[in-house]
Amino acid sequence: MINTVLNPCMIPNATLGIDQACLNILNLCPYPIIFYAIAWEAYTGIGIPMTILQSRLNTSLVISTKRPLHIYYQTIEPIQNHDNCHTTYTFKEHGSYRWNLSYGGDCRKIEVLRNPTESYLPIFAAFMVYILLAIFWVTSKVIVRVIRGKLSPDNVQDDLDRLQDSESVTHPVIRTTKSSTRIRSVDTFRGIAILLMIFVNNGGGKYVFFNHSAWFGLTVADLVLPWFAWIMGLTITISKRAELRVTTSRIKITLRSLRRSAILILLGLMLNSMYSKTLNDLRFPGVLQLLAVSYFVCATLETIFMKPHSQDTLLQFGRFAMFRDILDSWPQWLIMACIVATHTFITFLLPVPNCPSGYFGPGGKYEYRGKYENCTAGAAGYIDRKIFGNHTYSRTTDTIYGPLIRYDPEGLMNTIAAIFIVFLGVHAGKILLLYYQYSSRVIRWFLWAVLTGIIAGILCKFGDAEELIPVSKRMMTLSYMLTCSSFAFLLFTLLYVLVDYKQVWSGAPFIYAGTNPIFLYVGHILTKDLFPWAWNIAHPTHASVLAVNLWTTTLWAIIAYLLYRKDIIITI
């Protein structure tokens, strides 16, 4: 959080790094004191000791501006362990600040010596560039069509009107391709998820909200994996129904699902081996492993219980027709309720040595003064450490919470939790298949978005400090999964209206990435930090890092477009 090695605050005309500011502290006490600082969201009664401030001297520190900091000092003598001057302050990037400290609580407000820079301007600039590129692309396509005689200025409006009525008009099929037979809103949703995943995995411009939350809360980066799992569930419904129509052997369909899951697990282990020196520390869990297991469970359930077509007239046309999507798959709902209940009971009731029941926190040395030092991730972390040992996530030093013991954000308990969000995607697919009217689909997806959002809000008490189940991506809590599902239902509803129903948007450029998501995911991991996808920056800033990360994402979008144009779809 604070760096005193080669301190640029002590060097005239030195350049500060990303998310750094200078804090000049004058210790007016007649004795040395210890300066503490910690992110406000991680403060539970103790901060991280940063440096010793000598009496009557001014000390310049490089301080983090990523999050609001809770800062204070503690006396060394003559009264030990006496805290003073507690305050929380939001420092801004490249600003210079002054804080005068004195014993007895007489502490001045933090003063601004040099105004900070505006670190969010690069985001606005990048947004405008992409808007202009989109306008140029659409305009150029219209001009080309005019030149070729396929579109004249007099019938532009007529064509637009016909485009809106295209759902009820039968057009002659000129050419059938792999891409043309897919549901465009599904590929668009998946493309948004995979391109956003590539962007945040490459750094997200080093902005906090484009990176995963420290432990609790929700950022843009926290949405991508659940969204990918959710839309995978939706495609399970469509693909398994199609497979059942081709073959009546449910065993063969299940074996295909097993083969696909095994390939995903193998790819995940191969990617994990890039970060392991030996097999002794090879990480077993991972993103692809989590997707593989949750896919297999939901695909198997759908294979066992699905019907090639509904034979229940009462559910089709009777008074229960409005609940057809639920009643049609009541066995899956019953099994899923058991899975969620089991996960919840383990979380709250499993005895973890020297840890409270139902603990969701990061633990570590500074969580409640080390009271839960060995409780990282509660029951989920305990199970992963017992089952996988050293074959888990290896990064145990957190920039916010300090050193932590091993845990895995895609471990066993988190994989079980992910099964539920995949199943919610399966249910969204059932709505798509069982209801043929546009309004019936949209209303149900919207109601599910509201329902999952309300339940998530109740579980986390809408952000209250005394939440029952907090929102945490690191532990994939139930409230987190429901929150992400709520946003997924909303986003897909919007895409379905714009892309498939109204057809006012083709889904580009996201639809291209959505046709080859696994290829893009594996490819961006293998080429990470390699030219021409990325390059090292001598003096990184938010603007320069954002430019590189956007270029990386754009290059993969271009590759996806070329594959789409060649009608190449790489599946496993």
Side-chain angles (χ1 to χ4, degrees), residues 119-407:
S119 58
Y120 300 121
L121 280 178
I123 298 179
F124 176 76
F127 177 77
M128 294 305 299
V129 168
Y130 277 95
I131 290 294
L132 292 174
L133 288 175
I135 294 174
F136 174 77
W137 175 259
V138 173
T139 304
S140 63
K141 289 181 67 175
V142 172
I143 293 174
V144 169
R145 291 182 65 187
V146 171
I147 293 175
R148 290 180 177 178
K150 294 182 179 180
L151 184 66
S152 65
D154 295 329
N155 60 20
V156 172
Q157 187 59 46
D158 292 338
D159 272 9
L160 290 176
D161 292 339
R162 285 196 297 271
L163 182 62
Q164 301 224 350
D165 296 334
S166 61
E167 186 167 311
S168 60
V169 178
T170 302
H171 295 279
V173 177
I174 298 175
R175 177 173 176 261
T176 300
T177 64
K178 296 177 184 177
S179 302
S180 65
T181 59
R182 300 166 69 93
I183 301 175
R184 301 180 69 85
S185 57
V186 172
D187 282 337
T188 303
F189 185 105
R190 191 160 41 199
I192 291 173
I194 190 63
L195 289 181
L196 189 57
M197 185 181 292
I198 292 173
F199 175 64
V200 300
N201 283 353
N202 279 276
K206 298 299 182 181
Y207 288 102
V208 172
F209 43 82
F210 286 143
N211 284 268
H212 293 298
S213 55
W215 196 272
F216 300 113
L218 193 71
T219 65
V220 175
D222 295 331
L223 294 171
V224 291
L225 178 56
W227 280 2
F228 198 87
W230 187 91
I231 200 63
M232 181 179 68
L234 191 149
T235 58
I236 285 174
T237 308
I238 301 171
S239 62
K240 298 309 166 187
R241 184 68 55 90
E243 288 181 37
L244 187 60
R245 289 173 179 171
V246 174
T247 175
T248 57
S249 175
R250 297 176 189 259
I251 295 178
K252 288 183 179 179
I253 298 175
T254 303
L255 290 176
R256 289 195 198 104
S257 300
L258 179 61
R259 178 182 63 84
R260 187 169 191 263
S261 298
I263 294 175
L264 285 174
I265 291 174
L266 179 61
L267 286 174
L269 292 174
M270 290 171 60
L271 296 180
N272 286 353
S273 67
M274 296 172 58
Y275 307 100
S276 302
K277 297 180 180 179
T278 64
L279 290 178
N280 293 329
D281 62 352
L282 175 64
R283 182 190 177 198
F284 288 165
V287 171
L288 292 182
Q289 293 90 315
L290 177 144
L291 293 174
V293 174
S294 55
Y295 167 83
F296 179 73
V297 172
C298 290
T300 301
L301 290 177
E302 186 64 13
T303 301
I304 293 173
F305 295 106
M306 69 178 172
K307 305 178 183 68
H309 54 82
S310 180
Q311 301 172 346
D312 196 330
T313 306
L314 181 62
L315 291 183
Q316 277 186 304
F317 307 108
R319 57 183 175 178
F320 299 107
M322 69 168 53
F323 303 110
R324 184 182 171 198
D325 53 321
I326 298 175
L327 297 177
D328 188 75
S329 56
W330 68 266
Q332 292 101 306
W333 275 105
L334 184 60
I335 294 172
M336 205 53 52
C338 293
I339 291 175
V340 172
T342 301
H343 180 274
T344 303
F345 288 148
I346 291 175
T347 300
F348 282 96
L349 301 179
L350 180 70
V352 179
N354 302 316
C355 299
S357 299
Y359 181 75
F360 290 96
K365 184 177 180 180
Y366 302 105
E367 174 79 359
Y368 292 103
R369 299 182 182 272
K371 183 179 179 181
Y372 306 132
E373 185 170 357
N374 297 320
C375 300
T376 299
Y382 178 72
I383 290 173
D384 288 340
R385 289 188 290 274
K386 285 295 183 181
I387 294 177
F388 299 118
N390 290 332
H391 300 284
T392 56
Y393 195 65
S394 60
R395 298 178 186 176
T396 56
T397 300
D398 190 270
T399 56
I400 303 300
Y401 295 97
L404 305 176
I405 60 175
R406 278 182 176 266
Y407 78 99

Side-chain angles (χ1 to χ4, degrees), residues 516-546:
N516 284 292
I518 297 299
F519 172 77
L520 263 63
Y521 178 81
V522 174
H524 99 274
I525 295 294
L526 293 176
T527 60
K528 191 175 184 180
D529 300 326
L530 296 180
F531 186 83
W533 285 273
W535 53 88
N536 292 325
I537 303 173
H539 301 288
T541 62
H542 274 300
S544 60
V545 174
L546 180 65

Side-chain angles (χ1 to χ4, degrees), residues 56-76:
R56 309 296 181 182
L57 292 179
N58 183 76
T59 304
S60 296
L61 302 174
V62 177
I63 199 160
S64 172
T65 63
K66 287 186 176 181
R67 295 173 173 85
L69 292 183
H70 186 79
I71 55 179
Y72 63 97
Y73 75 85
Q74 187 179 88
T75 59
I76 298 178

